[in-house]
Amino acid sequence: MAGIAVDALTGSAPGRAFVVTAVVAAVLAATTCSRAGAWWVAYAPPLVVAPVTAVAEGLSGGAAEGHGKGFATAAVHWAVDAFPAMAGAEAALLAVLAARWIRSRRTTRRNGA
């Protein structure tokens, strides 16, 4: 939400600040989750970023009134705005989880297990 607020202050749609904050949040989630919770965290970025983008666009007046073509056009716009943040957050999260997994495998080998 902080990234969207910064982007709103600059007068743009969800952009770079939103991407950066989504990536930072994903990295924090990946570093602080439990080993069992990693499966839940791995699927979170799209499920969090898409609704946040839709709500932000709706509150900023980006939502089309009514139904039909206007709403469909708005939904495509939301998806386009959300994709960079989703992709960046997912990539960063998977990189951190992979690094944690590799580190745990090395630790296990060193301990002779």
Side-chain angles (χ1 to χ4, degrees):
M1 294 303 293
I4 286 185
V6 169
D7 285 333
L9 291 175
T10 62
S12 67
R16 290 183 181 172
F18 183 46
V19 172
V20 169
T21 55
V23 168
V24 169
V27 168
L28 288 173
T31 56
T32 59
C33 72
S34 66
R35 187 172 182 177
W39 290 106
W40 292 96
V41 171
Y43 299 109
L47 300 174
V48 173
V49 170
V52 168
T53 304
V55 168
E57 293 278 344
L59 292 175
S60 70
E65 295 295 326
H67 302 286
K69 292 180 185 177
F71 183 75
T73 303
V76 169
H77 185 68
W78 300 337
V80 169
D81 285 346
F83 183 76
M86 276 192 272
E90 191 69 41
L93 185 134
L94 291 176
V96 171
L97 290 178
R100 284 181 59 182
W101 182 75
I102 291 168
R103 187 178 316 150
S104 73
R105 300 286 293 172
R106 286 183 180 169
T107 303
T108 303
R109 287 183 188 160
R110 283 187 195 147
N111 293 336

